[in-house]
Amino acid sequence: MKDKLRAAIFGLAIGDALGVPVEFKNRGTFRVTEMLGFGVHSQPRGTWSDDTSLTIATCDSIKRCGSIDVHDMYTRFQNWIFDGQYTVDGIVFDYGITTYAAIKQGYGENAERSNGNGSLMRILPVAFVDASRADIEKISAITHAHDTSTYGCVLYVDIARKLIKGDALQEIISAIRFETPYERLAYIQTLDETEIQSTGYVVHTLEAAIWSLLHTNNYRDAVLKAVNLGKDTDTVAAVTGGLAGIIYGWEGIPREWIEALRGKEKIERTLF
Ligand SMILES: [Mg+2]
């Protein structure tokens, strides 16, 4: 199981690092085919951002506590945003407004407009442990408490768990009854790229990730397709890359990208 977790978390981190240099750029104005450095956030090649930091903070909490402990996770998110823990260089160069506000005030935002992808980007480790739907919702609600965000996390963990079991993504998607506002996921594969948005809205992010996975057949192509959709490139590619890591395994992740990834030991030591 640890091998699958490693492939998932490194898969997510590499997607994140591929997207960091081109975050916010519009589709069609750039094309990523390799791990790049600098660009939008002026970070060296292979640097990952908040998506990976919050994911490994969640991993570390599960590892240290031996089970889900929402308050412990919250404390680790504080250590990240205020002290730079779980970062490559000890600095936080990328964070969401909702996430920052929630960690500062001690409870998640519940407004319709507070449905960025900030909890979706960090929920993947929960798929590897015993956690109920209520647990997943509480973990999302540390920062993102609105139903749209909590349900997005529930769907992502459900899909990840079935992939871990070895089920095929297309079959998993066909068997889920998606409720609004995620109903497009039921037929997402049939949509043209022009119909896929890749903004920081949690629904768009999950749609873009599943669409990227269903339109490719290997890890490299899946995360590159996600990055090249533009806008919230790092998070869309992280959400895609986590599932692609489970589907294609450690061996499916290009060696040169694993080598280029910075802060590997910081990721590795949080795996349980
Ligand atoms: Mg980010």
Side-chain angles (χ1 to χ4, degrees):
M1 190 59 115
K2 192 165 180 178
D3 287 346
K4 279 203 172 143
L5 177 68
R6 179 177 289 110
I9 304 305
F10 276 85
L12 181 149
I14 288 170
D16 182 5
L18 284 164
V20 162
V22 291
E23 192 179 3
F24 314 122
K25 289 200 171 192
N26 287 325
R27 191 180 305 172
T29 65
F30 70 95
R31 180 141 204 92
V32 173
T33 58
E34 265 312 322
M35 187 77 80
L36 306 172
F38 302 96
V40 174
H41 293 285
S42 298
Q43 297 297 312
R45 180 172 184 259
T47 306
W48 33 268
S49 69
D50 53 343
D51 314 77
T52 305
S53 295
L54 286 164
T55 297
I56 63 173
T58 302
C59 266
D60 205 21
S61 176
I62 293 168
K63 183 174 191 169
R64 308 283 184 106
C65 298
S67 61
I68 300 297
D69 182 328
V70 175
H71 187 263
D72 182 82
M73 285 179 189
Y74 169 64
T75 304
R76 292 175 197 280
F77 297 170
Q78 285 183 306
N79 295 340
W80 161 69
I81 207 157
F82 298 127
D83 296 329
Q85 285 187 30
Y86 304 110
T87 64
V88 178
D89 296 306
I91 50 157
V92 178
F93 63 86
D94 188 24
Y95 59 84
I97 299 162
T98 299
T99 293
Y100 180 81
I103 295 173
K104 199 169 175 199
Q105 72 201 10
Y107 57 90
E109 298 275 347
N110 194 15
E112 178 72 45
R113 68 175 183 284
S114 300
N115 277 311
N117 49 28
S119 59
L120 182 67
M121 67 166 72
R122 60 172 165 81
I123 203 73
L124 187 55
V126 177
F128 290 82
V129 289
D130 191 19
S132 67
R133 178 173 183 147
D135 289 333
I136 299 165
E137 289 169 349
K138 278 184 210 149
I139 295 165
S140 173
I142 297 171
T143 54
H144 293 67
H146 190 274
D147 286 351
T148 299
S149 287
T150 59
Y151 181 46
C153 289
V154 167
L155 286 174
Y156 188 68
V157 169
D158 183 34
I159 293 166
R161 282 178 176 160
K162 288 168 179 163
L163 290 172
I164 293 165
K165 274 198 328 187
D167 296 353
L169 181 60
Q170 184 58 69
E171 278 143 40
I172 294 167
I173 296 295
S174 300
I176 297 175
R177 201 173 58 80
F178 293 100
E179 290 163 28
T180 189
Y182 291 93
E183 64 274 12
R184 288 195 346 150
L185 283 173
Y187 56 89
I188 199 80
Q189 190 173 17
T190 66
L191 299 180
D192 187 76
E193 186 181 278
T194 56
E195 297 173 274
I196 302 300
Q197 292 185 266
S198 48
T199 72
Y201 175 44
V202 61
V203 178
H204 290 168
T205 301
L206 189 53
E207 285 185 352
I210 301 299
W211 183 87
S212 297
L213 289 162
L214 289 173
H215 280 83
T216 51
N217 59 12
N218 61 76
Y219 177 89
R220 180 193 294 266
D221 290 349
V223 288
L224 290 178
K225 188 163 278 288
V227 169
N228 287 315
L229 290 173
K231 293 286 186 191
D232 202 351
T233 52
D234 61 329
T235 304
V236 173
V239 170
T240 304
L243 297 185
I246 297 170
I247 296 168
Y248 302 112
W250 181 256
E251 296 304 319
I253 303 175
R255 291 304 93 177
E256 70 272 21
W257 288 354
I258 293 171
E259 277 163 30
L261 195 69
R262 301 182 64 225
K264 283 193 278 291
E265 68 295 339
K266 294 196 176 180
I267 299 172
E268 186 66 38
R269 77 167 77 110
T270 68
L271 302 179
F272 51 84

